[in-house]
Amino acid sequence: MADDILPGDTQAQGEAGPQLRILTQYIKDLSFENPNVPRTLGPLEHQPAIGVRVDVNVQRFSETDFEITLSIGVDAKTNEEQMFLVELQYSGLFRLTNIPADSLEPVLLIECPRQIFPFARRIIADATRDGGFPPLLIDPIDFVTLFQQRRGDLSGAPEGTMPN
């Protein structure tokens, strides 16, 4: 009987398989600058130029617990006049168990940020809306490509090096 595992017995099945749990998520830092208000709030002659920067950082707290910080910066200008700047560091504390060593880095740098991105996106949309602009809805981010670019940048780093 001890060997009988029922299909709905997630506790018995989950202990053996890989698990990714979000323990909590939070804003580490949020900055919104609106330097040229109210000039930039009226009708615009040209579409604003909006630049978005994204970075992912990992900090290990224990054998199974990791803090993933998604840093997103947005710079919006029209005719070289600053409209707004947004800087957000949004983090999640993740518990990873039974993840194979060769899969750990992709899980940390692809899957974990993918889980918290929608929340960071909403925070930026709310901040731009509350700043007097239409809400900025950042396009979905391809974390696989971001990871591959990062791996290319770290190709000179010693093997086994994981980003901070």
Side-chain angles (χ1 to χ4, degrees):
M1 276 290 195
D3 295 332
D4 293 342
I5 296 176
L6 301 174
D9 189 358
T10 57
Q11 183 179 5
Q13 292 174 354
E15 290 174 0
Q19 288 186 338
L20 180 149
R21 290 184 42 219
I22 302 175
L23 302 177
T24 190
Q25 46 189 333
Y26 44 91
I27 296 173
K28 278 187 96 163
D29 188 23
L30 173 62
S31 172
F32 181 85
E33 296 179 34
N34 202 351
N36 293 307
V37 74
R39 283 193 321 271
T40 54
L41 293 179
L44 301 175
E45 294 177 21
H46 305 285
Q47 279 291 101
I50 299 176
V52 178
R53 297 172 313 283
V54 178
D55 193 19
V56 178
N57 290 299
V58 176
Q59 184 175 358
R60 177 176 245 156
F61 285 119
S62 70
E63 188 64 31
T64 59
D65 295 352
F66 298 85
E67 179 188 60
I68 309 301
T69 300
L70 184 56
S71 298
I72 302 175
V74 180
D75 183 14
K77 294 181 180 180
T78 181
N79 295 333
E80 297 305 314
E81 184 172 46
Q82 192 70 52
M83 291 180 65
F84 62 83
L85 289 163
V86 183
E87 297 286 336
L88 173 65
Q89 288 186 349
Y90 191 75
S91 297
L93 186 59
F94 290 82
R95 179 160 294 151
L96 281 64
T97 52
N98 300 322
I99 306 287
D102 62 337
S103 299
L104 185 61
E105 189 176 18
V107 167
L108 290 169
L109 294 171
I110 297 170
E111 192 54 38
C112 292
R114 188 180 309 180
Q115 296 290 318
I116 62 174
F117 173 73
F119 302 96
R121 180 179 192 244
R122 182 192 49 80
I123 291 165
I124 290 175
D126 288 348
T128 55
R129 184 197 64 228
D130 293 345
F133 300 97
L136 176 64
L137 297 174
I138 297 173
D139 289 337
I141 296 171
D142 181 358
F143 288 102
V144 173
T145 300
L146 192 63
F147 172 72
Q148 291 169 340
Q149 289 171 347
R150 184 177 203 148
R151 293 305 301 155
D153 291 345
L154 294 175
S155 60
E159 183 141 347
T161 301
M162 186 162 25
N164 302 2

